[in-house]
Amino acid sequence: MIDRPTIAKIMDATKIEEVVSEFVTLKKRGINYVGLCPFHNDSNPSFSVSPTRGICHCFTCGKGGNAINFLMELEQMTYPDALRWLAKKYKIEIQERELTNEEKQRESERESMFIVNDWAAKYFQDILLHDVDGIAIGMAYFRGRGFRDDIIRKFQLGFALPKRTALAEAAKAAGYNPKYLVDTGLCFKVDKDEAGNKSGEDKILDRFSGRAIFPWFSVSGKVVAFGGRVLDSRTKGISQKYVNSPDSVIYHKERELYGLYQAKKAIAKEDCVFMVEGYTDVISMHQCGIENVVANSGTALSVHQIRLLHRFTSNIVLLYDGDNAGIHAALRGTDMLLEEEMNVKVLFLPDGNDPDSFARSHSAEEFRRYIQENQTDFIQFKTDLLLKNERDPLKRSEAINSVVRSISFVTNQVLRDTYLHDCSVRMGINEATLINTLNNFIRNNRENRFPDAARYPQAQQQPTAQPQVVQDVTPVQQASKVERMLAE
Ligand code: ZN
C-alpha cells in the first residue's frame, strides 16, 4: 500500500518527457517534444509530449495521458506498479509493508508471476555469488568467458543448483505459491517418480537445474523469462544447450528481445541497433563498450520485435558469423524489416569469429572501426551475393526478381527509386524493365498484405530526379540527399 502524501511526492517529481523518453526517442519541437508513437505503427512522428502540461498524446491513435496512464497502457502495469516504477526512477522511498500470505494469494495472476520471477532472479544470482557449487560451477563458467563482475551484475546472471527440486523447495520455504512457479515456467509438473512409475500425485521439478542463468527483462526492466545454458561438465546426454522459459501470461517470445532493457538508452543515443544471435554476444559486446546491441536467438525478427526496436531507432545492423550459415541467415526475414521502414545493413565478421569472440579480442574502438568499414547496405549485399558469378540466365532472372521483390517492400519512394537505379547499374538491366517488375510486386504486396492502398504509391516510369550512383555512398544517404534537394 502506498499512502497519499507519497503519491503526491511522486507526481511532483515526475517529468513526463523523462518518462516517455525511456521508451521513445524524443526530439524537441518548440516547447514540446515529438517522437514515434509507441502505441501504433507510426512512421511520421505523431506522438507529442508537453512538459508544461505533464501529458503526452498521439494525434493519430489518440492514446496518451499523464505519466501513470502512459506506463499503465504501454507496459501493462497496474496503478500501484506505475507509482512504484516512478518512485524508483526519482529515488523516492516508499514505505510498504510485507504482504501477508492472504494478500499474496489475492494479487493478480500477472503480478504474482512477476514477483516470483523477480525473486527467482535474485535467488539464482545469490547462488552464483555465494553458494559453494554456484561459485565452483556457475562462476567458473562466466569467468571462463571473461565476464567482469559489473557485467555479471548488470545482466543479473545467475546459477541454478543441479538438484532438480532446489528452486521449488526454496520458493516454498519463502512462502511462494507453487502454482506460479509452474505458470512462469520456472518449474514443471511431473506425475512419475525417478524410476518412471506413476506416483499418483503431481510433483514439480526445476526447469533450469544445473544451468547458467540469463534473465530476460521487459523494456521497462521486469523479469519476464529466463534462459539457461547447460554447462560443459553436464553436456553429455543433454541435447539442448539452451533452455528458455515457455510462453506465459507475462512472456511472449516473439514480443521480447534479449538485452533491450540494458541497451535502450545506447540505441537511442547512437540512433542504431546491432542485432546478434546469442546472450553471450550481447554481454561480450557490452563488456567491450558497445551497448546498443540486442539478441533474438537466431530466429527472424517478428513484426512486434521490429516495432519495439523502431521506437528507439530506424537503423539496424545485422551481425553475422562470416560462414555460409551466416550468409544464408542474412537473407531470411529481412523483407519485413524493410517493410517496417527500417534501414537495414549487414555485417559479416571475419572467418571463425562470432560477435562474442570478436568483442573479446578487440577494443570497442577497433570493433567500431570494423563495423564502419565493413557494414553493407542490405539491398547491395543481396544483389552482389545473388548475382556474383551467376551466369545461368534462368538463375540470374530469379535472383533479379528476388532483389526487386525486396526493394518493393521499401515504402519510402525516393529510397526505393534510388535502390532500383543502383541495381539496374549493378545488374546491367534496363531500368524501365526493373520498374515494371517492381510495380507488379508492389501491386501484389498491396493486394496480399495491405488493404490500405495509399501506403504504396507506384514507382514513376520517368523518375523526376535520377541520382548519380557514386561508389561508397549508400542508397540511404543518397535518398536523404535527394529529399533535401527536393525540399530546397
Ligand atoms: Zn499512436
Side-chain angles (χ1 to χ4, degrees), residues 133 137-138 141 159-165 188 205-213 228-243:
D133 282 347
I137 310 172
Y141 166 72
F159 180 68
L161 291 172
K163 187 181 168 194
R164 301 291 323 259
T165 53
F188 57 92
L205 293 181
D206 298 355
R207 185 178 303 272
F208 299 104
S209 51
R211 290 173 183 267
I213 300 292
R229 188 194 190 281
V230 72
L231 298 184
D232 303 339
S233 57
R234 292 181 64 242
T235 40
K236 266 190 194 155
I238 293 179
S239 52
Q240 277 179 295
K241 197 158 119 183
Y242 284 96
V243 162

Side-chain angles (χ1 to χ4, degrees), residues 128 135-149 151-152 157-158 212-214 228-232 235 241-242 258 277-288 321 352-362:
L128 179 75
I135 295 167
I137 310 172
M139 195 53 107
Y141 166 72
F142 290 128
R143 288 276 182 260
R145 301 209 73 106
F147 291 175
R148 293 192 312 253
D149 285 348
I151 289 292
I152 289 172
L157 305 179
I213 300 292
F214 301 81
R229 188 194 190 281
V230 72
L231 298 184
D232 303 339
T235 40
K241 197 158 119 183
Y242 284 96
Y258 182 76
E277 273 193 29
Y279 304 136
T280 52
D281 294 328
V282 170
I283 297 170
S284 290
M285 283 177 72
H286 264 262
Q287 176 155 318
C288 157
D321 310 350
N353 273 281
D354 55 25
D356 180 13
S357 64
F358 197 77
R360 277 186 282 148
S361 52
H362 294 80

